[in-house]
Amino acid sequence: MAQLDVSKSENPIEWIISAEPVPYETALAEMEARVAAIAAGEASEAIWLLEHPPLYTAGTSAREEDLVAPDRFPVYEARRGGQYTYHGPGQRVVYVMLDLNRRGRDIRAFVKALEGWVIDTLRDFGIRGEIREGRVGVWVPRPEKAPGPDGAVREDKIAAIGIRLRRWVSFHGISVNVEPDLEHFSGIVPCGISDHGVTSLVDLGLPVTMEDLDSALMANFQTAFPEPQS
């Protein structure tokens, strides 16, 4: 596990990068311990960049019928908001452990900041990420694909968002598809949405590495999450 502190404030954010896939149960335990320490004033905020082995997670709104292939990969109760999602190699998972006691106790503003962070990061690679009312995550228009049954432009999901708060400290966060096996998403109805597909940076024709994405996420973080007033 590599650690990189990119903040120069009195309350620096610790950036943690795991080089190898992290088992989900391990990640959940470490994340919950860090959140408790942040809430107690015993640790700094942290952003954890990692990958998981292939698995499905069920959010608090997950519907049983959306788990199409229950025996394909391990399924974990995530206890975050949202429905079913897939994690696996080639997908950058970003666990965001920030203290909203310092940053404003506004869940909607926090989710909007996460969306903006992803959109700004994608823009660095020439991708126009968009959000849609009633559809969580970040979407990419695909005009080169055949239109949908209603004639609308097809849209694919490139990033998922699911958070949880404990004592106003966030955990879980976002996932961005760099080069995962997109067929693995077929074992679920991703986020409960069956009318649209999923895509990745490489699927869109961009030879982006995980390191490229990490650098862009770091570069755009301060815009989305300015240093809170002390």
Side-chain angles (χ1 to χ4, degrees), residues 101-115:
N101 292 292
R102 300 174 56 235
R103 296 176 176 273
R105 294 183 175 188
D106 188 329
I107 297 175
R108 291 188 180 216
F110 179 61
V111 172
K112 185 175 180 180
L114 289 171
E115 293 170 339

PDB file of all heavy atoms in Angstrom, residues 101-115:
ATOM      1  N   ASN A 101     -18.601  17.372   9.128  1.00  0.00           N
ATOM      2  CA  ASN A 101     -18.745  18.326  10.222  1.00  0.00           C
ATOM      3  C   ASN A 101     -17.955  19.593   9.918  1.00  0.00           C
ATOM      4  O   ASN A 101     -18.343  20.687  10.319  1.00  0.00           O
ATOM      5  CB  ASN A 101     -18.229  17.706  11.525  1.00  0.00           C
ATOM      6  CG  ASN A 101     -19.103  16.573  12.010  1.00  0.00           C
ATOM      7  OD1 ASN A 101     -20.231  16.786  12.417  1.00  0.00           O
ATOM      8  ND2 ASN A 101     -18.574  15.346  11.949  1.00  0.00           N
ATOM      9  N   ARG A 102     -16.850  19.446   9.207  1.00  0.00           N
ATOM     10  CA  ARG A 102     -16.005  20.576   8.828  1.00  0.00           C
ATOM     11  C   ARG A 102     -16.383  21.138   7.461  1.00  0.00           C
ATOM     12  O   ARG A 102     -16.118  22.303   7.180  1.00  0.00           O
ATOM     13  CB  ARG A 102     -14.527  20.151   8.800  1.00  0.00           C
ATOM     14  CG  ARG A 102     -13.982  19.640  10.119  1.00  0.00           C
ATOM     15  CD  ARG A 102     -12.564  19.101   9.963  1.00  0.00           C
ATOM     16  NE  ARG A 102     -11.678  20.106   9.405  1.00  0.00           N
ATOM     17  CZ  ARG A 102     -10.931  19.931   8.311  1.00  0.00           C
ATOM     18  NH1 ARG A 102     -10.979  18.788   7.648  1.00  0.00           N
ATOM     19  NH2 ARG A 102     -10.148  20.885   7.875  1.00  0.00           N
ATOM     20  N   ARG A 103     -16.992  20.303   6.632  1.00  0.00           N
ATOM     21  CA  ARG A 103     -17.232  20.685   5.244  1.00  0.00           C
ATOM     22  C   ARG A 103     -18.688  21.042   4.959  1.00  0.00           C
ATOM     23  O   ARG A 103     -19.038  21.339   3.814  1.00  0.00           O
ATOM     24  CB  ARG A 103     -16.786  19.545   4.316  1.00  0.00           C
ATOM     25  CG  ARG A 103     -15.291  19.283   4.392  1.00  0.00           C
ATOM     26  CD  ARG A 103     -14.867  18.096   3.557  1.00  0.00           C
ATOM     27  NE  ARG A 103     -13.421  17.947   3.579  1.00  0.00           N
ATOM     28  CZ  ARG A 103     -12.580  18.556   2.767  1.00  0.00           C
ATOM     29  NH1 ARG A 103     -13.053  19.365   1.825  1.00  0.00           N
ATOM     30  NH2 ARG A 103     -11.273  18.374   2.864  1.00  0.00           N
ATOM     31  N   GLY A 104     -19.529  21.031   5.979  1.00  0.00           N
ATOM     32  CA  GLY A 104     -20.939  21.357   5.795  1.00  0.00           C
ATOM     33  C   GLY A 104     -21.792  20.114   5.792  1.00  0.00           C
ATOM     34  O   GLY A 104     -21.569  19.198   4.995  1.00  0.00           O
ATOM     35  N   ARG A 105     -22.759  20.065   6.667  1.00  0.00           N
ATOM     36  CA  ARG A 105     -23.614  18.886   6.793  1.00  0.00           C
ATOM     37  C   ARG A 105     -24.733  18.934   5.758  1.00  0.00           C
ATOM     38  O   ARG A 105     -25.907  19.118   6.089  1.00  0.00           O
ATOM     39  CB  ARG A 105     -24.185  18.805   8.204  1.00  0.00           C
ATOM     40  CG  ARG A 105     -23.133  18.557   9.280  1.00  0.00           C
ATOM     41  CD  ARG A 105     -23.815  18.410  10.631  1.00  0.00           C
ATOM     42  NE  ARG A 105     -22.876  18.064  11.687  1.00  0.00           N
ATOM     43  CZ  ARG A 105     -23.243  17.732  12.921  1.00  0.00           C
ATOM     44  NH1 ARG A 105     -24.534  17.714  13.250  1.00  0.00           N
ATOM     45  NH2 ARG A 105     -22.339  17.424  13.825  1.00  0.00           N
ATOM     46  N   ASP A 106     -24.368  18.761   4.518  1.00  0.00           N
ATOM     47  CA  ASP A 106     -25.322  18.858   3.414  1.00  0.00           C
ATOM     48  C   ASP A 106     -25.070  17.672   2.483  1.00  0.00           C
ATOM     49  O   ASP A 106     -24.137  17.690   1.688  1.00  0.00           O
ATOM     50  CB  ASP A 106     -25.138  20.180   2.678  1.00  0.00           C
ATOM     51  CG  ASP A 106     -26.223  20.441   1.633  1.00  0.00           C
ATOM     52  OD1 ASP A 106     -26.741  19.469   1.059  1.00  0.00           O
ATOM     53  OD2 ASP A 106     -26.538  21.624   1.393  1.00  0.00           O
ATOM     54  N   ILE A 107     -25.912  16.640   2.598  1.00  0.00           N
ATOM     55  CA  ILE A 107     -25.685  15.411   1.831  1.00  0.00           C
ATOM     56  C   ILE A 107     -25.829  15.668   0.336  1.00  0.00           C
ATOM     57  O   ILE A 107     -25.033  15.181  -0.467  1.00  0.00           O
ATOM     58  CB  ILE A 107     -26.664  14.313   2.295  1.00  0.00           C
ATOM     59  CG1 ILE A 107     -26.403  13.961   3.765  1.00  0.00           C
ATOM     60  CG2 ILE A 107     -26.518  13.069   1.424  1.00  0.00           C
ATOM     61  CD1 ILE A 107     -27.387  12.977   4.339  1.00  0.00           C
ATOM     62  N   ARG A 108     -26.841  16.452  -0.053  1.00  0.00           N
ATOM     63  CA  ARG A 108     -27.037  16.716  -1.486  1.00  0.00           C
ATOM     64  C   ARG A 108     -25.839  17.453  -2.075  1.00  0.00           C
ATOM     65  O   ARG A 108     -25.391  17.145  -3.191  1.00  0.00           O
ATOM     66  CB  ARG A 108     -28.316  17.533  -1.697  1.00  0.00           C
ATOM     67  CG  ARG A 108     -29.569  16.752  -1.392  1.00  0.00           C
ATOM     68  CD  ARG A 108     -30.811  17.518  -1.794  1.00  0.00           C
ATOM     69  NE  ARG A 108     -32.006  16.751  -1.492  1.00  0.00           N
ATOM     70  CZ  ARG A 108     -33.089  16.756  -2.236  1.00  0.00           C
ATOM     71  NH1 ARG A 108     -33.117  17.474  -3.334  1.00  0.00           N
ATOM     72  NH2 ARG A 108     -34.136  16.040  -1.889  1.00  0.00           N
ATOM     73  N   ALA A 109     -25.331  18.432  -1.349  1.00  0.00           N
ATOM     74  CA  ALA A 109     -24.169  19.168  -1.837  1.00  0.00           C
ATOM     75  C   ALA A 109     -22.954  18.254  -1.928  1.00  0.00           C
ATOM     76  O   ALA A 109     -22.134  18.381  -2.852  1.00  0.00           O
ATOM     77  CB  ALA A 109     -23.874  20.352  -0.915  1.00  0.00           C
ATOM     78  N   PHE A 110     -22.843  17.331  -0.997  1.00  0.00           N
ATOM     79  CA  PHE A 110     -21.721  16.403  -1.010  1.00  0.00           C
ATOM     80  C   PHE A 110     -21.784  15.491  -2.237  1.00  0.00           C
ATOM     81  O   PHE A 110     -20.789  15.288  -2.937  1.00  0.00           O
ATOM     82  CB  PHE A 110     -21.706  15.578   0.276  1.00  0.00           C
ATOM     83  CG  PHE A 110     -20.592  14.576   0.357  1.00  0.00           C
ATOM     84  CD1 PHE A 110     -19.269  14.975   0.322  1.00  0.00           C
ATOM     85  CD2 PHE A 110     -20.872  13.221   0.478  1.00  0.00           C
ATOM     86  CE1 PHE A 110     -18.234  14.048   0.397  1.00  0.00           C
ATOM     87  CE2 PHE A 110     -19.856  12.289   0.558  1.00  0.00           C
ATOM     88  CZ  PHE A 110     -18.533  12.704   0.518  1.00  0.00           C
ATOM     89  N   VAL A 111     -22.956  14.931  -2.513  1.00  0.00           N
ATOM     90  CA  VAL A 111     -23.109  14.075  -3.693  1.00  0.00           C
ATOM     91  C   VAL A 111     -22.849  14.873  -4.968  1.00  0.00           C
ATOM     92  O   VAL A 111     -22.192  14.396  -5.900  1.00  0.00           O
ATOM     93  CB  VAL A 111     -24.511  13.438  -3.714  1.00  0.00           C
ATOM     94  CG1 VAL A 111     -24.750  12.715  -5.044  1.00  0.00           C
ATOM     95  CG2 VAL A 111     -24.671  12.469  -2.548  1.00  0.00           C
ATOM     96  N   LYS A 112     -23.347  16.100  -5.009  1.00  0.00           N
ATOM     97  CA  LYS A 112     -23.105  16.956  -6.181  1.00  0.00           C
ATOM     98  C   LYS A 112     -21.617  17.211  -6.370  1.00  0.00           C
ATOM     99  O   LYS A 112     -21.112  17.238  -7.500  1.00  0.00           O
ATOM    100  CB  LYS A 112     -23.848  18.279  -6.022  1.00  0.00           C
ATOM    101  CG  LYS A 112     -23.750  19.189  -7.233  1.00  0.00           C
ATOM    102  CD  LYS A 112     -24.600  20.440  -7.071  1.00  0.00           C
ATOM    103  CE  LYS A 112     -24.501  21.333  -8.289  1.00  0.00           C
ATOM    104  NZ  LYS A 112     -25.326  22.558  -8.137  1.00  0.00           N
ATOM    105  N   ALA A 113     -20.881  17.381  -5.266  1.00  0.00           N
ATOM    106  CA  ALA A 113     -19.439  17.592  -5.353  1.00  0.00           C
ATOM    107  C   ALA A 113     -18.746  16.337  -5.884  1.00  0.00           C
ATOM    108  O   ALA A 113     -17.805  16.434  -6.691  1.00  0.00           O
ATOM    109  CB  ALA A 113     -18.878  17.974  -3.987  1.00  0.00           C
ATOM    110  N   LEU A 114     -19.194  15.164  -5.453  1.00  0.00           N
ATOM    111  CA  LEU A 114     -18.626  13.924  -5.973  1.00  0.00           C
ATOM    112  C   LEU A 114     -18.865  13.814  -7.478  1.00  0.00           C
ATOM    113  O   LEU A 114     -17.961  13.452  -8.249  1.00  0.00           O
ATOM    114  CB  LEU A 114     -19.243  12.716  -5.258  1.00  0.00           C
ATOM    115  CG  LEU A 114     -18.839  12.484  -3.801  1.00  0.00           C
ATOM    116  CD1 LEU A 114     -19.706  11.385  -3.201  1.00  0.00           C
ATOM    117  CD2 LEU A 114     -17.370  12.123  -3.681  1.00  0.00           C
ATOM    118  N   GLU A 115     -20.087  14.126  -7.907  1.00  0.00           N
ATOM    119  CA  GLU A 115     -20.401  14.087  -9.338  1.00  0.00           C
ATOM    120  C   GLU A 115     -19.531  15.068 -10.110  1.00  0.00           C
ATOM    121  O   GLU A 115     -18.989  14.733 -11.175  1.00  0.00           O
ATOM    122  CB  GLU A 115     -21.874  14.417  -9.555  1.00  0.00           C
ATOM    123  CG  GLU A 115     -22.833  13.368  -9.013  1.00  0.00           C
ATOM    124  CD  GLU A 115     -24.276  13.829  -9.014  1.00  0.00           C
ATOM    125  OE1 GLU A 115     -24.524  15.053  -9.043  1.00  0.00           O
ATOM    126  OE2 GLU A 115     -25.165  12.961  -8.975  1.00  0.00           O
TER     127      GLU A 115
END
